[in-house]
Amino acid sequence: PNVANIPQQLQMFGSVGWLFAVVDRIATGTALVQWHLHQRRRDEREEVADHELLRLWRRPTPFYTQVELVETGMQHYSLVGEMWWVKIRNLSGKVVELWPVRPDRMTPVADRQEFVAGYVYRMGAETVPLRREDVIFIRRPSPLDPYRGCGPVQSLLMDLDSERFSAQWNRNFFIRGAEPGGVI
């Protein structure tokens, strides 16, 4: 997979109507699932009503709800085959926030012994090294790169571009009065 075209894959979400509809339906449907936490007691499962993990899940950041966290993650997963969440810890090491981050800004750091030593988050010129345990990475495995995911949009990029360009041409045709050009 070409990591350089991940921003293009993400941009297709807002550029092609049917792609938006499909990805939005999947992301919204997944985000609206009622999540539960259970603990095992002997041979039975018992639902846990209140737990710090549930509180984090319901309000992962001061700016994101659980629905927005899952929806954003599923948009990324559906478009590029990767979902990245970064754990933010307080001074005592407890996870207090869970942030969705764009796939094109994350880079796994390969390691011979540990496979992945950590990650680097890039935003502009700023880079933030992240420990392995502070990143949740869910991917649709890539047949070409064991460190990255593979999404359906990269296989559709040419078709999606053609559809976008055709729609733009049709739009311009009607804006110009729907008169064919040229001389007969």
Side-chain angles (χ1 to χ4, degrees):
N2 184 354
V3 178
N5 73 13
I6 289 178
Q8 182 184 9
Q9 294 171 51
L10 294 171
Q11 289 169 352
M12 286 297 173
F13 179 64
S15 300
V16 178
W18 67 263
L19 181 65
F20 178 90
V22 169
V23 170
D24 184 62
R25 182 70 168 217
I26 292 168
T28 302
T30 306
L32 294 176
V33 167
Q34 296 296 314
W35 298 85
H36 302 274
L37 179 63
H38 292 89
Q39 69 180 24
R40 187 177 295 270
R41 295 216 188 253
R42 296 189 184 100
D43 293 333
E44 295 182 20
R45 288 183 342 174
E46 181 180 301
E47 185 171 350
V48 178
D50 186 44
H51 189 277
E52 64 184 279
L53 182 59
L54 282 173
R55 289 188 293 277
L56 175 66
W57 182 244
R58 290 184 186 127
R59 194 64 180 182
T61 79
F63 306 101
Y64 276 80
T65 64
Q66 171 255 317
V67 169
E68 292 168 319
L69 174 76
V70 174
E71 189 170 4
T72 301
M74 284 307 297
Q75 287 171 348
H76 294 161
Y77 185 79
S78 297
L79 292 166
V80 301
E82 296 181 358
M83 180 187 317
W84 297 85
W85 292 341
V86 174
K87 302 173 193 176
I88 305 299
R89 299 176 187 272
N90 63 14
L91 294 176
S92 65
K94 178 181 167 189
V95 177
V96 293
E97 294 180 9
L98 193 57
W99 282 88
V101 294
R102 284 181 29 186
D104 57 318
R105 295 182 176 171
M106 292 294 290
T107 304
V109 178
D111 185 83
R112 230 174 244 200
Q113 274 74 40
E114 299 184 44
F115 188 64
V116 174
Y119 301 92
V120 175
Y121 177 76
R122 288 182 174 80
M123 192 164 70
E126 184 179 353
T127 61
V128 179
L130 298 165
R131 298 177 309 170
R132 232 178 20 188
E133 58 269 22
D134 289 333
V135 175
I136 298 171
F137 178 36
I138 300 169
R139 70 181 179 274
R140 181 177 290 119
S142 166
L144 298 175
D145 186 349
Y147 296 98
R148 300 303 307 219
C150 182
V153 171
Q154 66 190 105
S155 68
L156 295 169
L157 276 177
M158 194 174 302
D159 297 323
L160 292 168
D161 273 340
S162 295
E163 188 160 334
R164 232 173 12 102
F165 297 147
S166 296
Q168 184 67 41
W169 187 90
N170 282 332
R171 178 183 175 277
N172 290 340
F173 176 74
F174 287 106
I175 285 174
R176 289 196 283 273
E179 294 180 17
V183 176
I184 297 178

